[in-house]
Amino acid sequence: TQLLEQSPQFLSIQEGENLTVYCNSSSVFSSLQWYRQEPGEGPVLLVTVVTGGEVKKLKRLTFQFGDARKDSSLHITAAQPGDTGLYLCAGVNSNYQLIWGAGTKLIIKP
Amino acid sequence: DAGVIQSPRHEVTEMGQEVTLRCKPISGHDYLFWYRQTMMRGLELLIYFNNNVPIDDSGMPEDRFSAKMPNASFSTLKIQPSEPRDSAVYFCASSLALIGVGETQYFGPGTRLLVL
C-alpha cells in the first residue's frame, strides 16, 4: 500500500514567519501535486512537480520535488493570514491515481 | 464555466435513511471522481468514472454505497441505509483525463453529511 506522510499535521505561526511542510513516502511517484483547501470548499491545485529535484515558485510559495521523486516540500516565506488553510500533497502513482497525504492545517495569525 | 456543482451542500439525516448526493461535472470532462473526507482518514477516493462507465470502485466502503452516472453531466452517490459513521464531507471532482503531467482534478464545494 502506497502511503504519503505529511508533516506537521498542524501549524500555527505569526504573520511574517517562514514555514516548511513536508511530504514523504517510500514509494516513487511520477509526479506530485500540492493543493490548498479553504473551509467549506474543495481542494484547489497549486502546483504539479514532475522531475526529480524540480523547484517551482508561486509568489511566496516554493515547492520542491525530491531527487528520488519520493518526497516533496512546500516552503512559505513571510506567511500572511491569507495563506491560512489546509495544504494537501498528492502523489501520482504508475496507475495515474492520486495518493493523498493527510494534510497540514496552517493558521497564520495577524 | 460554473465549475463542478454539488447538491445538497448540507444534509442531516437519521440513521437508516437513504441519502442521495448529486454532482454535475465540468462540461467536456471525461472523468468524474467521488471522494470522502474525514478528520480521521483524510481524503479517500471512493469511485471514479470514465465516459460514464465506473472504472474503479475499490474505495467504496461497502454495499450500502452505490454510484451511478447516467449521462455525461450528472452523477449520484447513494447511501442506503445510512449510518453515523458515514458522516463526512463528500466531494465530487472532474478532469479532462487521468492525472498525469499537466492534468488537474477540479473539485466541487462538497456535501457535508451528518447522520444522526
Side-chain angles (χ1 to χ4, degrees), chain A residues 33-82:
Chain A
Q33 299 186 327
W34 284 92
Y35 292 76
R36 182 168 73 194
Q37 182 178 11
E38 298 191 16
E41 299 181 8
V44 176
L45 180 67
L46 295 174
V47 76
T48 302
V49 285
V50 180
T51 307
E54 181 177 5
V55 177
K56 281 192 174 178
K57 292 191 175 184
L58 193 64
K59 297 183 180 178
R60 294 173 294 97
L61 278 61
T62 301
F63 305 86
Q64 185 163 7
F65 203 11
D67 291 340
R69 291 185 288 131
K70 293 181 179 181
D71 55 85
S72 182
S73 64
L74 157 60
H75 182 79
I76 301 180
T77 304
Q80 298 179 0

Side-chain angles (χ1 to χ4, degrees), chain B residues 72 76 109:
Chain B
T76 60

Side-chain angles (χ1 to χ4, degrees), chain B residues 20 75 85 99 101 109 113:
Chain B
T20 300
S75 178
R85 60 190 168 127
I99 290 296
V101 178
L113 173 65

Side-chain angles (χ1 to χ4, degrees), chain B residues 19-95:
Chain B
V19 175
T20 300
L21 311 181
R22 298 172 176 79
C23 175
K24 176 178 167 55
I26 293 173
S27 177
H29 281 191
D30 290 334
Y31 287 82
L32 183 141
F33 306 82
W34 281 102
Y35 287 91
R36 178 172 67 177
Q37 187 176 40
T38 61
M39 289 290 292
M40 291 297 294
R41 301 175 68 91
L43 202 58
E44 303 173 277
L45 177 65
L46 301 178
I47 185 172
Y48 78 91
F49 295 82
N50 176 27
N51 292 324
N52 314 336
V53 177
I55 302 300
D56 184 354
D57 65 354
S58 60
M60 295 286 261
E62 48 197 273
D63 293 344
R64 298 185 296 106
F65 286 69
S66 63
K68 294 181 180 179
M69 192 166 185
N71 57 63
S73 59
F74 183 65
S75 178
T76 60
L77 178 67
K78 186 175 293 186
I79 308 173
Q80 166 64 16
S82 58
E83 296 183 3
R85 60 190 168 127
D86 302 330
S87 298
V89 182
Y90 290 81
F91 288 102
C92 176
S94 70
S95 64

Side-chain angles (χ1 to χ4, degrees), chain A residues 9-31:
Chain A
Q9 290 184 325
F10 179 78
L11 190 58
S12 178
I13 61 172
Q14 292 292 139
E15 180 178 1
E17 294 184 4
N18 303 331
L19 67 108
T20 302
V21 177
Y22 300 93
C23 257
N24 294 291
S25 176
S26 58
S27 303
V28 176
F29 295 106
S30 58
S31 62

